[in-house]
Amino acid sequence: MSYPIKNIATIIQGTGNLLVDADIEHLLTDSRKITFPSASLFFALHSNRRNGHSFINEVYERGVRNFVIDENINTSTFTDATFIKVKNTLTALQTLAAYHRSQFSELPVIGITGSNGKTIVKEWLYQLLRSNYQIVRSPRSYNSQIGVPLSVWQINKQHTLGIFEAGISTTEEMQKLQSIIQPTIGVFTSLGNAHNEGFTSLQEKANEKWKLFKQANIIICNKELLKLINEDNIAINKKFITWSTTDKTATLFVSSVKKNSNTTQIHVCFDKNSNYHITIPFTDEASVENAITCCCVLHSFHFSEEEIALRLALLQPVEMRMQLKKAINNCYVINDSYSNDFSSLSIALDYLKQQSGNNVTTVILSDILQSGLAEEDLYKQVAAEIQQRNIHRFIGIGEQLNKYHTLFVNIAQQTSFYTSVENFLQQTNPHQFKDEFILLKGARRFAFERIDDWLEYKIHQTVLEINLSAIAYNLKTYQNQLQKDTKVMAMVKAFSYGSGSAEIARLLQFHKVDYLAVAYVDEGIELRKADISLPIMVMNVDEVGFNALIEYNLEPEIYSFNIYHSLHLYLLQQAITNFPIHLKLNTGMNRLGFDEKEVERIATLLQQNNTMIVQSVFSHLTSSEDEADDAFTLQQAKTFLQSCTAIENKIGYQFIKHISNSAAVLRHPSLQMNMIRLGIGLYGVDASNNHHIHLQPAATLKTTIAQIRNVKKGETIGYNRKGKLERDSKIATIRIGYADGFSRKLGNGIGSVFVNGQLAKTVGNICMDMAMIDVTDIDKVNEDDSVEIFGIHLPIQQVAQWSNTISYEIMTSVSQRVKRIYTEE
């Protein structure tokens, strides 16, 4: 569905010269995600760190000719573009989406809110209802003030049901989302502590979320929640379907929950007279509650008890994140097979281009089932999406794609089609894939996991999972603490603290950090070869690496006269002037850098010679996280600023100043200066111990159980018989040792790991490739079960404390033989 640009101007009450007579199909808020420029409308939004107006030139150069702005800009250079001026661009985006929703007033819409479970419930409802309805739903977790309007914009005349999430972080937000979603059925999944900082109480949060249901005819929630809702918010003309495990007056009373090894049987009584049971293929508490919520929704659609039980028994797990992992022949695989609809394809293609840079890209796609579109129209759109992103090779699997293969002629350099996964595997050789990024996007029934396994780089079962969404969240969290013009330098040295330099750098570049920093020239070269174009500071250089600095456009740290003179002579020989450098000052760390008394001399050399130009001057704080050393920290900053002033006075120009690390950002906001350096804070480790900021753990080290044995009291475990048992015990051997980064310091019960919801202590010495743990008191432990070494359930800070070290060492000690898997939610 499209709108003439002149109609949009009227809807959002904008003014301007409508120079282009365009029909708008796509709304843009991100300059990096342009697919169909001529039919797109760019909204120049504002955030704490970015102003969308500064990207207008970039967006224009990529073909977009329609813009919504709320600032006065010089439009004279954009002679063939339309600019619509409004009071607030975000409000305009939301107004347009609300208008679009109102054009489908007869469309039933499920609006989902809550602290947890929104995306799972949305995806499960899609599974449960898609055989009866043509469903439009929020892509992934598009539930914010920006994500909701972009989700609702997808509605078209083919849809017969909408399912949308709404997430908020403070008051006065939900009313805006309600006007856009306009749900007819409201679902409140749960109420927890997420985003508590935006509310004065749990009751305030509950009532703010409840505003989503202002015009809903049916509301579904846990009955206990109603106790928190103000009476004036509970309209008597609404139908409530409540559930409870304790209150028999609830519409759906859960009388018992029985968990087996892989399933849970739930006995329920609906409306006080209908008793039946449902079985779901999950055992965790969250899944049980989410399934009960879905059961209530199915009742609101008047399904029979038998049909509800049948559908819930067939629920599939929801993999809410894309996985990026190393594959054969120096390839990378992005596995996004958890959903295969048209909207999620577009998101996956954007992620493929983000991660691949200028590398070769391949898309392996299955038939898209139950899209609601005529098949030919659907695959015309798919072909256009592929072509717009300049994919090198397209592989289609399924009878529909084979039927419409002529639509894909010339959309990529290579195209091929197969009737099934078996057919593809039989006719294709793994060696045909080399040095490329491969996107797997398949409907569940095609079992693309077989292709994933076929391409996988086979190493042992210990993996380090890096959640790229968590890193992006942590970056934004720190950016929200910064003054508007303060830049960000991200530290990606030491293989990005063990997490993978190129992959993390691509993410940081995508989110527009200002600088990257590496420890050695080799690391900088790796990033350049991975198509990282951000400025890169190299912290340790020597004469051997000077040529690489020039060739790969890397900016060295100059910390001594010896390094300065060596580089100066090299630049003279190469006839190079004004080469960018970063000057390191020693203000108390006493490691590297020019002392205060040497500042005048180095400044004079820089002023007299024109071989180098100072990009930044910086120093290291010794203990910004330690309150006892606050006076010393402030003295360091004072000395640093005095030295910077002396340098500026001598060389005659200004430069970037930075001294703050992750901890200082939070504990010493006055020291932000022109730029701050973020290191381990990006990975969710708050070195400042500031409990007012919420970071997400980004790294999870996992392994599996190789063997379980019963060992008698008095027997010993491991080398040197260090683990002597004081009781009959069940001992599990796990596939990780000190060669993987699991320190020997953690042996003999000093450390623990997380297994099936509980901590299990180590037993005996840690071996090179294996370790033993005591699982005697843990139920239902089996061989090949997953074991968390550190991550979401077992914080890396705790492991560091057991090891008598710091989180930095734990992260960087994870061996390169441990496979890295990158996920994005």
Side-chain angles (χ1 to χ4, degrees):
M1 185 171 179
S2 63
Y3 288 84
I5 189 66
K6 62 181 181 180
N7 290 11
I8 290 178
T10 301
I11 294 166
I12 63 179
Q13 299 181 350
T15 60
N17 295 322
L18 304 182
L19 301 178
V20 180
D21 186 18
D23 287 327
I24 300 301
E25 297 181 38
H26 307 278
L27 304 185
L28 288 175
T29 62
D30 191 329
S31 62
R32 301 159 297 189
K33 298 181 179 179
I34 299 171
T35 307
F36 299 99
S38 62
S40 295
L41 176 62
F42 179 75
F43 287 78
L45 302 181
H46 302 264
S47 69
N48 291 340
R49 296 287 303 168
R50 302 291 178 190
N51 183 340
H53 296 78
S54 63
F55 298 101
I56 286 175
N57 188 62
E58 174 187 338
V59 174
Y60 178 84
E61 289 180 353
R62 295 183 63 185
V64 176
R65 292 296 181 266
N66 297 281
F67 301 85
V68 178
I69 59 175
D70 58 16
E71 293 182 0
N72 292 321
I73 66 170
N74 180 9
T75 62
S76 61
T77 57
F78 308 102
T79 55
D80 58 345
T82 287
F83 288 87
I84 302 174
K85 179 78 179 296
V86 296
K87 291 182 179 180
N88 182 282
T89 49
L90 178 58
T91 301
L93 173 67
Q94 294 172 339
T95 300
L96 179 58
Y99 177 86
H100 181 65
R101 167 69 179 97
S102 69
Q103 303 309 294
F104 303 87
S105 57
E106 300 301 315
L107 179 74
V109 168
I110 302 172
I112 305 173
T113 191
S115 298
N116 299 293
K118 296 186 292 294
T119 302
I120 294 292
V121 168
K122 177 198 69 185
E123 293 299 324
W124 277 359
L125 289 176
Y126 174 71
Q127 292 180 26
L128 294 165
L129 296 170
R130 65 185 174 186
S131 61
N132 300 84
Y133 298 90
Q134 297 298 336
I135 299 174
V136 56
R137 70 195 196 279
S138 308
R140 297 192 174 271
S141 298
Y142 275 39
N143 57 31
S144 67
Q145 298 291 310
I146 300 172
V148 166
L150 296 179
S151 299
V152 169
W153 183 255
Q154 299 175 104
I155 299 173
N156 62 49
K157 61 184 179 181
Q158 282 87 18
H159 295 125
T160 57
L161 176 65
I163 309 177
F164 300 108
E165 300 178 46
I168 58 173
S169 56
T170 188
T171 57
E172 309 302 324
E173 288 187 342
M174 187 58 87
Q175 186 173 346
K176 300 172 185 175
L177 301 186
Q178 186 279 328
S179 68
I180 301 168
I181 298 174
Q182 302 169 34
T184 56
I185 299 174
V187 176
F188 203 131
T189 57
S190 65
L191 188 66
N193 294 323
H195 301 297
N196 270 356
E197 62 274 12
F199 305 92
T200 59
S201 66
L202 209 59
Q203 183 172 12
E204 183 183 52
K205 182 198 289 189
N207 281 276
E208 178 67 21
K209 289 179 179 290
W210 195 264
K211 292 178 182 177
L212 178 63
F213 311 139
K214 180 180 178 181
Q215 296 176 313
N217 302 316
I218 300 172
I219 299 175
I220 295 162
C221 67
N222 187 311
K223 190 167 185 180
E224 290 296 309
L225 180 69
L226 292 177
K227 297 176 182 178
L228 294 173
I229 306 302
N230 299 335
E231 287 187 14
D232 55 348
N233 284 337
I234 302 180
I236 58 174
N237 61 338
K238 295 184 187 296
K239 178 181 179 180
F240 290 89
I241 299 179
T242 61
W243 68 270
S244 177
T245 58
T246 57
D247 188 343
K248 293 184 179 180
T249 66
T251 316
L252 187 85
F253 173 61
V254 181
S255 58
S256 70
V257 176
K258 182 180 179 182
K259 295 182 179 181
N260 301 310
S261 57
N262 297 309
T263 61
T264 300
Q265 191 174 74
I266 307 169
H267 287 264
V268 299
C269 176
F270 181 73
D271 217 11
K272 298 182 181 178
N273 58 24
S274 176
N275 291 282
Y276 66 103
H277 74 265
I278 57 178
T279 300
I280 61 170
F282 306 95
T283 58
D284 60 287
E285 287 298 325
S287 292
V288 171
E289 290 193 7
N290 291 334
I292 293 170
T293 297
C294 290
C295 180
C296 291
V297 174
L298 293 181
H299 272 293
S300 75
F301 281 82
H302 306 294
F303 284 95
S304 68
E305 286 83 357
E306 293 79 7
E307 187 65 22
I308 291 172
L310 176 64
R311 295 193 182 204
L312 288 173
L314 298 176
L315 281 175
Q316 296 289 325
V318 176
E319 179 57 66
M320 293 195 299
R321 52 193 187 173
M322 287 183 274
Q323 287 191 341
L324 170 68
K325 56 187 177 183
K326 189 79 172 176
I328 57 174
N329 306 326
N330 200 35
C331 292
Y332 283 88
V333 167
I334 298 172
N335 187 355
D336 188 32
S337 298
Y338 97 94
S339 65
N340 192 34
D341 53 76
F342 184 72
S343 61
S344 68
L345 172 63
S346 181
I347 294 171
L349 289 170
D350 284 338
Y351 183 62
L352 172 65
K353 296 303 290 183
Q354 172 195 330
Q355 285 297 323
S356 63
N358 293 324
N359 289 285
V360 172
T361 51
T362 293
V363 173
I364 305 178
L365 179 72
S366 79
D367 290 346
I368 297 177
L369 309 176
Q370 297 176 316
S371 70
L373 296 172
E375 285 183 1
E376 185 171 0
D377 292 339
L378 168 66
Y379 291 111
K380 281 181 179 177
Q381 292 185 36
V382 170
E385 291 277 342
I386 299 293
Q387 186 171 27
Q388 285 290 328
R389 289 170 175 83
N390 298 315
I391 302 301
H392 296 84
R393 174 164 46 172
F394 176 78
I395 298 172
I397 296 178
E399 297 197 0
Q400 293 178 12
L401 279 166
N402 271 269
K403 179 180 179 181
Y404 295 101
H405 71 274
T406 55
L407 298 175
F408 294 83
V409 174
N410 299 325
I411 67 157
Q413 294 177 17
Q414 300 177 42
T415 58
S416 54
F417 296 86
Y418 303 88
T419 56
S420 64
V421 169
E422 291 85 353
N423 184 233
F424 166 77
L425 294 176
Q426 289 170 1
Q427 298 185 33
T428 311
N429 190 306
H431 296 293
Q432 294 174 237
F433 299 89
K434 186 177 181 181
D435 299 323
E436 58 194 280
F437 281 71
I438 305 164
L439 171 64
L440 298 182
K441 193 79 173 135
R444 198 175 292 276
R445 84 176 202 192
F446 284 87
F448 265 32
E449 61 268 18
R450 286 179 293 170
I451 302 177
D452 185 45
D453 183 66
W454 184 70
L455 292 169
E456 186 174 355
Y457 179 54
K458 300 294 193 299
I459 49 179
H460 74 95
Q461 295 182 39
T462 298
V463 298
L464 181 65
E465 288 188 357
I466 309 298
N467 186 332
L468 299 177
S469 297
I471 293 177
Y473 172 89
N474 295 335
L475 172 63
K476 184 177 180 181
T477 299
Y478 276 105
Q479 288 176 328
N480 288 338
Q481 306 296 315
L482 302 182
Q483 298 162 19
K484 184 177 180 180
D485 296 325
T486 303
K487 299 178 185 293
V488 174
M489 173 181 280
M491 313 302 290
V492 290
K493 60 182 181 176
F495 197 55
S496 284
Y497 294 86
S499 60
S501 299
E503 294 78 12
I504 303 303
R506 287 191 190 100
L507 175 77
L508 296 171
Q509 179 167 275
F510 182 78
H511 288 282
K512 297 188 180 294
V513 300
D514 302 283
Y515 255 97
L516 299 176
V518 298
Y520 294 100
V521 170
D522 289 348
E523 295 175 325
I525 294 172
E526 179 189 348
L527 296 185
R528 289 290 184 241
K529 288 182 176 180
D531 298 311
I532 301 301
S533 58
L534 285 173
I536 299 174
M537 180 178 79
V538 181
M539 304 183 74
N540 296 281
V541 295
D542 55 31
E543 294 184 50
V544 175
F546 287 169
N547 186 61
L549 292 176
I550 310 300
E551 182 179 354
Y552 291 97
N553 191 25
L554 305 173
E555 302 174 8
E557 169 190 320
I558 302 300
Y559 55 82
S560 71
F561 290 108
N562 182 46
I563 289 293
Y564 169 81
H565 287 302
S566 297
L567 181 59
H568 172 63
L569 290 174
Y570 176 82
L571 294 172
L572 283 177
Q573 292 169 0
Q574 301 296 319
I576 294 173
T577 60
N578 294 327
F579 189 74
I581 65 160
H582 300 263
L583 207 61
K584 173 71 171 290
L585 304 183
N586 175 37
T587 58
M589 179 73 81
N590 292 317
R591 186 175 59 181
L592 295 175
F594 294 98
D595 293 333
E596 187 177 10
K597 63 184 179 182
E598 298 174 320
V599 164
E600 179 71 20
R601 181 182 166 196
I602 187 62
T604 300
L605 289 169
L606 290 166
Q607 185 267 331
Q608 291 174 344
N609 302 307
N610 67 347
T611 51
M612 305 175 208
I613 188 169
V614 179
Q615 295 291 95
S616 83
V617 176
F618 71 104
S619 187
H620 268 90
L621 297 174
T622 66
S623 43
S624 59
E625 71 280 5
D626 193 341
E627 184 178 359
D629 281 335
D630 279 354
F632 187 78
T633 296
L634 295 177
Q635 181 57 48
Q636 278 192 275
K638 182 180 178 180
T639 301
F640 174 70
L641 289 173
Q642 289 173 345
S643 296
C644 286
T645 299
I647 295 170
E648 283 182 339
N649 289 340
K650 176 62 69 173
I651 65 177
Y653 57 87
Q654 295 184 329
F655 42 74
I656 298 171
K657 306 175 187 69
H658 50 111
I659 196 170
S660 287
N661 53 14
S662 300
V665 170
L666 304 176
R667 296 203 64 252
H668 301 283
S670 63
L671 305 185
Q672 291 178 12
M673 302 181 192
N674 308 120
M675 186 159 67
I676 57 96
R677 301 188 299 273
L678 289 180
I680 203 164
L682 287 170
Y683 304 92
V685 179
D686 179 9
S688 72
N689 295 315
N690 185 329
H691 300 297
H692 299 295
I693 188 172
H694 173 69
L695 300 176
Q696 296 181 0
T700 300
L701 181 60
K702 297 162 64 174
T703 190
T704 56
I705 294 175
Q707 189 178 36
I708 298 173
R709 68 175 68 247
N710 294 310
V711 185
K712 294 292 186 181
K713 175 182 178 180
E715 292 194 37
T716 58
I717 306 297
Y719 285 117
N720 304 116
R721 305 187 68 204
K722 292 293 185 181
K724 187 171 183 180
L725 300 181
E726 298 180 355
R727 60 172 179 173
D728 291 351
S729 302
K730 184 163 57 174
I731 303 299
T733 299
I734 58 177
R735 297 178 170 99
I736 190 171
Y738 59 78
D740 302 297
F742 193 42
S743 173
R744 292 188 81 242
K745 296 177 183 177
L746 294 167
N748 300 301
I750 293 174
S752 297
V753 297
F754 188 83
V755 184
N756 289 358
Q758 293 181 242
L759 291 178
K761 284 186 172 294
T762 58
V763 184
N765 288 329
I766 306 297
C767 308
M768 179 181 289
D769 309 302
M770 298 281 178
M772 284 69 74
I773 58 173
D774 188 343
V775 295
T776 308
D777 300 320
I778 302 177
D779 294 331
K780 300 177 182 177
V781 180
N782 299 298
E783 292 177 359
D784 292 322
D785 277 358
S786 180
V787 178
E788 183 177 302
I789 307 303
F790 63 73
I792 296 174
H793 304 99
L794 182 53
I796 192 171
Q797 296 95 318
Q798 178 61 69
V799 178
Q801 184 177 334
W802 287 332
S803 303
N804 194 28
T805 186
I806 57 177
S807 301
Y808 297 80
E809 183 178 351
I810 301 298
M811 278 284 291
T812 56
S813 295
V814 179
S815 157
Q816 290 301 297
R817 78 175 187 179
V818 173
K819 178 169 63 176
R820 272 67 173 171
I821 295 178
Y822 302 90
T823 64
E824 181 155 353
E825 297 176 352

